[in-house]
Amino acid sequence: MDRVATLELRSVDLQSPRNNKEHHTQEMGLKRLILRRGQLFTLQLGFNRPFQPQTDTISFVAETGPEPSELLGTQATFLLTQTQHGNVWSASDFTIDSNSLQVSLFTPANAVIGPYTLKIEISQGQGHGVTYPLGTFILLFNPWSAEDDVYLPSEILLQEYIMRDYGFVYKGHERFITSWPWNFGQFEEDIIDICFEILNKSLYYLENPSKDYSQRNDVVYVCRVVSAMINSNDDSGVLQGNWGEDYSRGVSPLEWNGSVAILRQWSARGGQPVKYGQCWVFASVMCTVMRCLGVPTRVISNFRSAHNVDRNLTIDTYYDQNAEMLPTQKQDKIWNFHVWNECWMIRKDLPPGYNGWQVLDPTPQQTSSGLFCCGPASVKAIREGEVHLAYDTPFVYAEVNADEVIWLFRNSQAQEVLVHNTSSIGKKISTKMVGSDQRQDITSSYKYPEGSSEERSVFMKASRKMLGPNRTSSSFLDLLGSGGFEGHPVRLQLHLARTPEWGQDVLLMLRVQRVSHRAHLQGPIRLVVRFCAQALLHGGGTREPLWRHMMQLNLDFGKETQWPLLLPYNNYRNKLTDEKLIRVSGIAEFEETGRSMLVLKDISLEPPHLSIEVSERAEVGKALRVHITLTNTLTVSLSNCTMVLEGSGLIDGQIVNDLGTLMAEHTIQIQLDLYPIKAGPRQLQVLISSNEVKEIKGYKDILVAPARAS
């Protein structure tokens, strides 16, 4: 009987186009194999003769990391069998067709994510085997698999939180929320490689590469590493934060349109942090990385967000008798808004009931286990005040729940509590609505309704856990006896008489109403009201006063009166930050009692608006004419205007045009052709920045049809 020829491998087809489509990774390209764990994929192997299961033995070896090891879960060896066995690496369901072999491989739903090499070892009988390389693949988390810790059982949510490569960040102020379009671009071809480059530059990897790799099966671990690596405070992280106002050594955080340019710059420069980021940039880049890795992720904005360093659940702010908001030596602050992420996962490290959305915050505010990272903190745990649960839950709880105490500062000390707000922090918590460009308010997932019995009892529970049983929750309680919280005989309100636009005078109305009060039953009341306007900073602080005003009022019982207040453009012209926010504050002092009360109004100045029109049907590879119009509605020219266009699937990278100076009351019209690259829903982002106004933004949703067959 003739001896059968040794089985030799002649060809390999990783079937990337077919596998990538089945694994929802086709948007990353079809040339290389990109898989999600916990799901079958198929290969076709060509040999010199037909495979004979009785005598030929085939085993596969999959390896990842610097020193692959079965013990660490970074190496797997598995035989070709006819049936699959549970949640383990396996090769099964093979079919033989002449000299070719079609085989299904399965990766477990708890496998380490990352780039793998795949090899095959062929042997006959007891003889030595011969090893052949089959190629490489990338393995990602799989939110489509019920066995994966990131499983999200809704196709609509998966399309939004994994597949959508553009979205919005909500910025500004709780009363004037602006939607800021952002190009996440997680499927641009090189982004997946940059994501693993980020993991490989972390301090955990540099300290112990094999151990770090072995923990990359755990979504909690990977999220914490990414949270630390998006900022550069401890490591070669992606972004350097800058909350000053000098961005001359880099790019202003307001001038980024998306994550792709940031990630590419970081990679191209060998891991040098990109200048500069603030919270919405950090969170948007983290959203790109996590969606790319396969973790459902969204961007969250919290308006009036507390940064409570001493964990006493109280933020103190101070005004002097001239209504000027004073700087404080404390690190505590109230951001106008703060932006973080939520990632969807099962929390096996917590008691039951805390799965689902988890807060992760890559903005470097304070350290966690020695590094500047934050989370994952269960949103459910925050709502229930379970601040003892990992990770960083007390910090996030305070961001949305701290109390605000406003003091009158006189004679070098805080003398009077003007306001104690239990509901002014953690407002309008927002994210993009699923399948829509609208904003969704998700405040109720973070806390019970303000003032409800549930909300106050959760606050007391969290206070006891954070402060211990013997400490009071706030430093102002000993002043409660001073009568600081009695009502006032007058009600004061500031409101805008017209929409405030940058470059125009701001017109306010002060409404004064005399109300009944036991200490002032009848008779006139005299009060002096001192006003102050200051540029409001993103971090909640203010600049030097830019306008002051004083008025004396005599009020008879039952009367209501209004006074106009004019804040001229010349007063604020060069005094504001790029956010164009003004805080107008007034302190009213009652002559009879010497007591004071505070009235506040924050103003957001509207920038000019741009419009974007697309004339015809969009199709892959076919010219698409775009019309962009900007009218300078201001009374001043806009100098050094630059336009940046971005949009994954529409533009490769960015298009940058210098537009020069746009005179006051003039209009500029720009026409250009785009050649869409990918079919499906896309978003074009347009940013025009100038010396005077940094952020004139617009966007256009565009549905791109596939190229027609010629």
Side-chain angles (χ1 to χ4, degrees):
M1 184 180 161
D2 291 340
R3 188 169 177 276
V4 177
T6 304
L7 189 69
E8 295 172 4
L9 185 69
R10 293 284 164 85
S11 66
V12 183
D13 180 2
L14 297 178
Q15 301 190 330
S16 301
R18 172 185 163 182
N19 287 318
N20 289 9
K21 280 176 185 160
E22 289 182 356
H23 286 245
H24 306 94
T25 61
Q26 72 272 25
E27 283 275 313
M28 297 180 185
L30 301 174
K31 292 185 184 136
R32 55 181 177 163
L33 187 57
I34 303 172
L35 305 170
R36 297 190 186 278
R37 63 188 193 174
Q39 189 172 333
L40 289 164
F41 65 101
T42 56
L43 309 176
Q44 187 146 354
L45 307 176
F47 298 104
N48 59 327
R49 62 165 174 80
F51 169 67
Q52 296 176 353
Q54 295 79 17
T55 54
D56 297 326
T57 304
I58 291 181
S59 60
F60 293 85
V61 182
E63 297 180 329
T64 187
E67 294 172 347
S69 140
E70 295 252 0
L71 189 66
L72 292 173
T74 49
Q75 182 187 61
T77 304
F78 45 102
L79 285 166
L80 177 61
T81 58
Q82 194 51 266
T83 52
Q84 186 193 329
H85 299 289
N87 187 33
V88 292
W89 289 89
S90 59
S92 59
D93 300 330
F94 62 86
T95 53
I96 303 164
D97 178 14
S98 183
N99 287 5
S100 76
L101 179 72
Q102 182 102 358
V103 60
S104 294
L105 274 69
F106 180 80
T107 62
N110 59 351
V112 166
I113 62 159
Y116 278 80
T117 58
L118 187 61
K119 297 182 284 196
I120 188 174
E121 190 179 272
I122 304 172
S123 58
Q124 284 170 287
Q126 300 301 310
H128 280 296
V130 180
T131 301
Y132 298 88
L134 295 182
T136 61
F137 64 89
I138 293 173
L139 193 62
L140 302 174
F141 292 108
N142 190 355
W144 281 267
S145 165
E147 304 302 315
D148 199 306
D149 285 352
V150 300
Y151 176 54
L152 180 57
S154 161
E155 189 58 36
I156 295 168
L157 297 185
L158 287 165
Q159 288 303 314
E160 183 69 54
Y161 298 132
I162 291 285
M163 302 304 291
R164 178 90 63 219
D165 61 3
Y166 60 85
F168 298 94
V169 181
Y170 296 98
K171 297 178 56 192
H173 186 283
E174 59 166 316
R175 291 198 195 90
F176 346 93
I177 296 173
T178 54
S179 63
W180 179 268
W182 193 271
N183 180 38
F184 295 119
Q186 68 267 31
F187 300 127
E188 296 282 332
E189 224 154 278
D190 51 347
I191 295 299
I192 189 167
D193 304 301
I194 297 172
C195 289
F196 287 109
E197 217 180 301
I198 289 170
L199 296 182
N200 289 350
K201 285 234 172 8
S202 84
L203 294 181
Y204 294 107
Y205 176 83
L206 297 174
E207 199 176 286
N208 189 334
S210 297
K211 184 185 177 194
D212 170 70
Y213 251 87
S214 75
Q215 292 178 275
R216 293 187 189 179
N217 64 332
D218 177 5
V219 62
V220 172
Y221 177 79
V222 171
C223 281
R224 277 181 72 73
V225 171
V226 173
S227 168
M229 279 301 297
I230 297 298
N231 68 71
S232 62
N233 282 41
D234 314 288
D235 40 46
S236 306
V238 175
L239 279 156
Q240 183 174 322
N242 184 343
W243 287 269
E245 289 163 59
D246 178 7
Y247 306 120
S248 56
R249 295 185 168 188
V251 174
S252 160
L254 291 167
E255 291 182 47
W256 297 112
N257 261 348
S259 309
V260 177
I262 293 168
L263 290 165
R264 284 179 175 162
Q265 182 183 316
W266 176 81
S267 176
R269 296 186 183 174
Q272 285 294 309
V274 175
K275 298 173 179 174
Y276 292 103
Q278 287 183 12
C279 61
W280 68 91
V281 188
F282 290 116
S284 299
V285 172
M286 180 153 184
C287 183
T288 296
V289 172
M290 298 317 299
R291 283 186 187 178
C292 185
L293 294 176
V295 181
T297 303
R298 58 190 190 178
V299 176
I300 309 296
S301 297
N302 177 39
F303 290 88
R304 290 192 54 80
S305 186
H307 182 177
N308 187 207
V309 176
D310 54 15
R311 289 173 51 149
N312 67 347
L313 289 175
T314 303
I315 308 288
D316 297 308
T317 49
Y318 303 91
Y319 288 81
D320 69 12
Q321 59 208 90
N322 296 314
E324 180 183 341
M325 186 181 177
L326 302 173
T328 169
Q329 300 305 309
K330 292 184 175 181
Q331 289 179 287
D332 283 11
K333 65 180 74 166
I334 303 170
W335 299 94
N336 296 331
F337 67 94
H338 182 54
V339 184
W340 58 67
N341 301 100
E342 285 177 5
C343 293
W344 180 273
M345 68 190 75
I346 289 169
R347 290 295 300 273
K348 290 176 178 167
D349 57 323
L350 298 183
Y354 298 100
N355 299 333
W357 291 116
Q358 314 287 322
V359 171
L360 284 130
D361 188 351
T363 299
Q365 292 192 89
Q366 68 175 36
T367 58
S368 172
S369 303
L371 292 181
F372 277 93
C373 67
C374 177
S378 161
V379 173
K380 180 83 181 295
I382 294 159
R383 188 173 196 255
E384 301 300 333
E386 303 295 354
V387 292
H388 60 290
L389 296 176
Y391 288 85
D392 309 305
T393 311
F395 184 77
V396 184
Y397 181 85
E399 286 183 302
V400 298
N401 282 299
D403 284 0
E404 178 188 21
V405 181
I406 302 177
W407 299 80
L408 179 63
F409 203 79
R410 249 195 310 231
N411 303 327
S412 305
Q413 61 180 3
Q415 287 198 342
E416 186 181 338
V417 174
L418 295 169
V419 184
H420 167 215
N421 280 325
T422 61
S423 60
S424 65
I425 285 171
K427 309 292 282 184
K428 300 275 179 73
I429 304 175
S430 302
T431 193
K432 176 187 176 297
M433 196 174 279
V434 174
S436 154
D437 288 354
Q438 299 301 304
R439 181 182 69 85
Q440 181 182 358
D441 190 310
I442 58 165
T443 309
S444 61
S445 65
Y446 278 83
K447 52 187 177 179
Y448 289 96
E450 292 286 3
S452 67
S453 58
E454 296 97 331
E455 185 263 342
R456 278 291 103 180
S457 78
V458 165
F459 185 84
M460 294 315 294
K461 173 168 73 172
S463 299
R464 282 193 295 273
K465 286 179 178 172
M466 289 170 70
L467 301 164
N470 301 321
R471 285 181 57 194
T472 54
S473 64
S474 305
S475 54
F476 66 89
L477 284 180
D478 46 343
L479 269 127
L480 281 172
S482 70
F485 299 104
E486 284 180 15
H488 289 288
V490 168
R491 189 174 292 131
L492 297 179
Q493 283 178 307
L494 275 172
H495 63 94
L496 288 161
R498 60 179 180 229
T499 302
E501 292 187 19
W502 195 85
Q504 311 281 343
D505 295 347
V506 176
L507 181 60
L508 292 143
M509 299 298 288
L510 174 70
R511 183 182 293 155
V512 186
Q513 189 180 6
R514 176 79 191 275
V515 291
S516 60
H517 188 268
R518 58 187 170 82
H520 299 273
L521 296 175
Q522 303 292 333
I525 282 181
R526 288 191 301 278
L527 64 157
V528 178
V529 191
R530 295 178 177 87
F531 292 98
C532 176
Q534 294 167 276
L536 186 57
L537 309 177
H538 173 49
T542 50
R543 282 184 171 173
E544 293 290 307
L546 51 87
W547 172 85
R548 292 186 187 276
H549 187 71
M550 187 180 95
M551 56 173 62
Q552 292 185 312
L553 306 175
N554 282 315
L555 281 179
D556 285 324
F557 183 72
K559 286 285 174 66
E560 181 177 321
T561 44
Q562 293 197 112
W563 278 271
L565 295 168
L566 190 72
L567 170 51
Y569 167 59
N570 279 337
N571 280 66
Y572 71 77
R573 178 172 182 169
N574 296 314
K575 306 280 179 63
L576 303 186
T577 68
D578 293 334
E579 269 100 0
K580 307 281 185 268
L581 283 168
I582 300 173
R583 171 161 292 174
V584 177
S585 40
I587 299 261
E589 188 175 334
F590 298 95
E591 285 192 3
E592 288 84 356
T593 63
R595 295 272 315 288
S596 302
M597 68 182 293
L598 175 71
V599 62
L600 292 176
K601 185 70 179 174
D602 291 344
I603 301 163
S604 173
L605 298 167
E606 290 273 319
H609 294 276
L610 59 82
S611 74
I612 307 162
E613 295 301 327
V614 177
S615 48
E616 61 274 289
R617 175 179 179 272
E619 187 182 310
V620 170
K622 188 180 162 195
L624 178 68
R625 177 61 55 93
V626 177
H627 304 265
I628 299 165
T629 308
L630 173 65
T631 300
N632 180 4
T633 52
L634 310 184
T635 54
V636 294
S637 299
L638 297 177
S639 55
N640 287 332
C641 294
T642 306
M643 179 178 73
V644 180
L645 280 77
E646 195 168 317
S648 286
L650 295 171
I651 299 167
D652 185 12
Q654 295 178 322
I655 296 172
V656 182
N657 283 344
D658 285 329
L659 306 178
T661 297
L662 179 56
M663 306 298 286
E665 309 296 332
H666 280 56
T667 297
I668 187 168
Q669 292 186 318
I670 303 137
Q671 291 188 17
L672 47 86
D673 287 341
L674 303 180
Y675 293 84
I677 305 155
K678 291 179 179 178
R682 304 290 162 196
Q683 189 183 76
L684 175 67
Q685 290 103 11
V686 180
L687 168 70
I688 296 179
S689 59
S690 66
N691 290 351
E692 291 72 23
V693 182
K694 282 285 182 283
E695 46 174 323
I696 303 170
K697 263 211 162 193
Y699 73 94
K700 187 77 177 173
D701 290 336
I702 299 171
L703 185 63
V704 180
R708 293 182 202 181
S710 50

